[in-house]
């Protein structure tokens, strides 16, 4: 089959493009590579298109069997609302229109747990959106746009995936926006005590990128449309992440706690996974206890410097 992956230089897009290719499909990768990296696609043999999702000439791709739309402004601290909306929402509508024009039946797109924002966990798909930042608003707007578009054009089915906290290989380029798992790993591998807000009992639903890739595939295979959570269904505290990392690295680092400077801080995220399991048939394979060690093994294979003791 023929697929387009947008944001293919990024964490999720690169893992997805590589996985689709390994399943024998023709994959077109699109990214402007301002954030994501070409190095993430070093092993990719498909077609790489360098361009901006806002003005890319999609029709040149011809008819596709599916589009996996991952490109977005992913930095949640960006305050430029106009820019956020034009990249995250405006370009998405162009992609839906392209799908409709060329007979592409399926668009799987990245939404986010940020749509829940201040909503209490466990977060269920039918919970009203309560985004706490512009980024979260843009993702809720994407979902609205998808609903409106697909009800006007039922030939296109769209599945939105509300990813929770994704971690895994190929996220070096994200720097300060990289996963908490990577940030803590980095400090610990470099010989420092990990630094977290007091008292480390805030928790997140950490989901491994390999599971995210699988969820995208299930969403493609699913004949309908809708919005689904992509999380483990389990909250893992920052203290627990540090304990798992200590075990995986063979270290015994203590933890440095400091005051949280933020007025609003999401203390907890956790997905309800019932819809994903029952409707998409997607089930998580890696809880942090196995996903983090798998990721650490990958990181260690890439880094030459020994762990500072
Ligand atoms: N990583 C997470 O924890 C997480 C959680 C929820 C949702 N998401 C969503 O998943 C998707 C992928 O996230 P990621 O973690 O891989 O982020 P990422 O930043 O690694 O990847 C996004 C990619 O999109 C590209 N991009 C951005 N704007 C573009 C534009 N105008 N034209 C072309 N390319 C552009 C970037 O260069 C980057 O390679 C995003 O839509 C993000 O909002 C991610």
């Amino acid at each position: 089959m023929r697929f387009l992956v947008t944001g293919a230089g990024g964490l999720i897009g690169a893992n997805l493009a590589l996985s689709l290719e390994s399943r024998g499909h023709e994959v077109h990768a699109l990214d402007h590579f301002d954030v994501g990296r070409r190095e993430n696609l070093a092993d990719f043999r498909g077609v790489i298109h360098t361009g901006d999702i806002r003005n890319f000439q999609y029709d040149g791709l011809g008819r596709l069997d599916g589009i996996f739309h991952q490109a977005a402004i992913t930095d949640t601290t960006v305050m430029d609302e106009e820019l956020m909306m034009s990249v995250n929402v405006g370009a998405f509508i162009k992609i839906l229109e392209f799908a409709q024009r060329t007979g592409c039946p399926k668009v799987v797109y990245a939404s986010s747990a940020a749509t829940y924002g201040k909503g209490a966990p466990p977060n269920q798909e039918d919970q009203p959106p309560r985004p706490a930042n512009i980024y979260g608003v843009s993702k809720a707007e994407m979902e609205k746009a998808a609903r409106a578009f697909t009800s006007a054009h039922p030939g296109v089915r769209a599945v939105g995936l509300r990813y929770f906290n994704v971690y895994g290989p190929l996220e070096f380029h994200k720097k300060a926006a990289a996963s908490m798992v990577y940030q803590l790993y980095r400090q610990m591998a470099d010989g420092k005590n990990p630094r977290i807000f007091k008292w480390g009992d805030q928790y997140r639903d950490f989901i491994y990128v390999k599971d995210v890739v699988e969820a995208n595939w299930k969403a493609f295979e699913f004949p309908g449309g809708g919005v689904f959570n992509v999380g483990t269904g389990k909250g893992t505290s920052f203290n627990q992440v540090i304990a798992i990392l200590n075990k995986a690295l063979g270290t015994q680092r203590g933890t440095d706690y400091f005051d949280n400077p933020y007025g609003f801080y999401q203390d907890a995220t956790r997905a309800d996974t019932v819809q994903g399991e029952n409707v998409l048939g997607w089930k998580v394979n890696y809880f942090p206890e196995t996903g983090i060690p798998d990721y650490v093994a990958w990181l260690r294979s890439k880094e030459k410097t020994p762990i500072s003791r």
Side-chain angles (χ1 to χ4, degrees):
M1 283 188 277
R2 303 184 74 237
F3 295 119
L4 167 66
V5 178
T6 72
L11 161 63
I12 298 166
N15 279 283
L16 187 54
L18 289 163
S19 164
L20 291 171
E21 188 177 54
S22 74
R23 292 168 202 231
H25 301 294
E26 179 185 330
V27 184
H28 291 258
L30 170 62
D31 205 297
H32 59 12
F33 298 104
D34 285 5
V35 177
R37 292 281 168 264
R38 280 170 204 284
E39 298 89 272
N40 287 345
L41 293 173
D43 298 328
F44 178 71
R45 297 289 162 261
V47 189
I48 299 179
H49 304 270
T50 304
D52 191 305
I53 53 167
R54 288 170 292 180
N55 52 28
F56 184 69
Q57 299 301 306
Y58 293 99
D59 286 16
L61 296 171
R63 188 193 171 277
L64 299 166
D65 295 289
I67 298 170
F68 294 89
H69 177 51
Q70 308 299 319
I73 294 179
T74 58
D75 181 347
T76 56
T77 62
V78 169
M79 289 302 180
D80 185 338
E81 191 166 351
E82 208 179 310
L83 177 69
M84 184 77 85
M85 293 301 159
S86 76
V87 174
N88 291 10
V89 187
F92 175 51
I93 294 170
K94 285 192 177 166
I95 287 171
L96 290 168
E97 289 167 349
F98 158 63
Q100 193 260 331
R101 217 169 35 245
T102 51
C104 170
K106 194 65 178 264
V107 178
V108 179
Y109 65 96
S111 181
S112 173
T115 54
Y116 295 117
K118 297 180 181 180
N123 300 120
Q124 290 172 332
E125 285 88 343
D126 57 3
Q127 209 169 300
R130 289 187 66 197
N133 52 30
I134 299 171
Y135 168 78
V137 170
S138 77
K139 291 291 175 179
E141 287 299 317
M142 279 180 88
E143 294 183 3
K144 249 199 248 170
R147 270 194 302 274
F149 191 89
T150 53
S151 66
H153 305 284
V156 179
R157 277 153 289 127
V159 177
L161 298 176
R162 288 182 183 160
Y163 305 144
F164 278 64
N165 289 72
V166 185
Y167 65 96
L170 308 179
E171 64 168 323
F172 295 132
H173 63 276
K174 293 186 77 163
K175 302 191 177 100
S179 69
M180 194 68 183
V181 172
Y182 178 69
Q183 310 284 355
L184 295 172
Y185 161 84
R186 186 71 279 144
Q187 295 165 22
M188 293 167 75
D190 292 347
K192 299 176 197 136
N193 280 351
R195 277 171 55 76
I196 54 176
F197 296 149
K198 287 177 184 170
W199 295 102
D201 45 7
Q202 308 89 337
Y203 67 82
R204 296 280 179 273
D205 191 330
F206 292 103
I207 181 82
Y208 198 34
V209 72
K210 290 183 182 177
D211 276 324
V212 172
V213 165
E214 210 45 45
N216 271 272
W217 185 248
K218 288 285 186 196
F220 171 71
E221 288 186 319
F222 174 58
V227 169
F228 299 91
N229 287 338
V230 176
T232 63
K234 190 179 155 221
T236 304
S237 72
F238 297 149
N239 286 333
Q240 284 171 312
V241 171
I242 290 168
I244 297 169
L245 283 167
N246 261 327
K247 199 165 161 203
L249 288 167
T251 52
Q252 290 180 328
R253 306 261 187 260
T255 302
D256 293 342
Y257 296 102
F258 64 103
D259 287 321
N260 181 347
Y262 297 110
F264 170 74
Y265 186 72
Q266 208 163 2
D267 278 329
T269 65
R270 179 158 67 86
D272 180 291
T273 57
V274 172
Q275 292 298 313
E277 284 171 23
N278 292 354
V279 182
L280 287 186
W282 170 74
K283 221 174 165 5
V284 73
N285 262 315
Y286 294 90
F287 288 93
E289 289 75 8
T290 50
I292 293 176
D294 192 81
Y295 183 26
V296 168
W298 181 86
L299 286 162
R300 295 315 304 154
S301 76
K302 299 287 165 200
E303 294 177 4
K304 305 283 172 263
T305 43
I307 306 275
S308 318
R309 300 281 156 195

